[in-house]
Amino acid sequence: MKKTILLPVVLALFFSCASTNSATVAVGEAKPKVLKTLGNPIRTLDNNQNGEILVYADQVFTDDGTSLAGSNYWRYNYVYINKDGKVTSTRQEKQNYPPQAIDSQKQAGLYQLTSK
């Protein structure tokens, strides 16, 4: 009886841990918690407001059926950290350019990055 109860409990615990979305962080979280949750960023940029932008990127390959290699894009997750070490906002987007092409210059007061 104890073994039959233990198995569902262990499975429920496993699935609850495995299903957490580690690609998002909450506004107000501290930078060490962000680094613990998401790991080290692929790039760190200065956001010209005495803070920084942590850039996380994953390259995604898709099979479009027309070419041998298929097409690809980059899935970006930008985490904006203020000078106090707290998350002020996050942004996710898909782009065709690699992380090396990101320029930290801001566009007219918006939390947007441009590529060179």
Side-chain angles (χ1 to χ4, degrees):
M1 179 70 178
K2 289 182 181 180
K3 290 181 182 179
T4 58
I5 294 174
L6 182 62
L7 182 62
V9 170
V10 170
L11 287 175
L13 181 63
F14 174 75
F15 286 121
S16 68
C17 292
S19 66
T20 58
N21 185 0
S22 63
T24 60
V25 292
V27 172
E29 286 186 2
K31 183 180 174 183
K33 185 173 180 183
V34 172
L35 294 175
K36 184 177 179 182
T37 302
L38 299 178
N40 291 326
I42 196 161
R43 290 196 62 191
T44 302
L45 304 170
D46 181 26
N47 73 354
N48 298 329
Q49 297 175 353
N50 297 327
E52 59 188 348
I53 305 167
L54 306 179
V55 180
Y56 296 91
D58 292 319
Q59 191 170 19
V60 179
F61 294 96
T62 59
D63 183 14
D64 61 1
T66 60
S67 65
L68 200 55
S71 60
N72 64 30
Y73 63 91
W74 289 87
R75 184 180 309 132
Y76 287 99
N77 186 12
Y78 301 100
V79 180
Y80 295 85
I81 307 286
N82 66 8
K83 63 183 175 183
D84 298 326
K86 302 286 184 181
V87 175
T88 57
S89 70
T90 62
R91 185 170 58 90
Q92 297 178 357
E93 67 179 21
K94 296 177 184 177
Q95 292 293 339
N96 292 328
Y97 54 83
Q100 297 83 2
I102 295 175
D103 185 5
S104 64
Q105 219 171 29
K106 295 287 182 165
Q107 291 180 0
L110 298 175
Y111 280 166
Q112 293 183 348
L113 298 176
T114 59
S115 64
K116 286 185 176 181

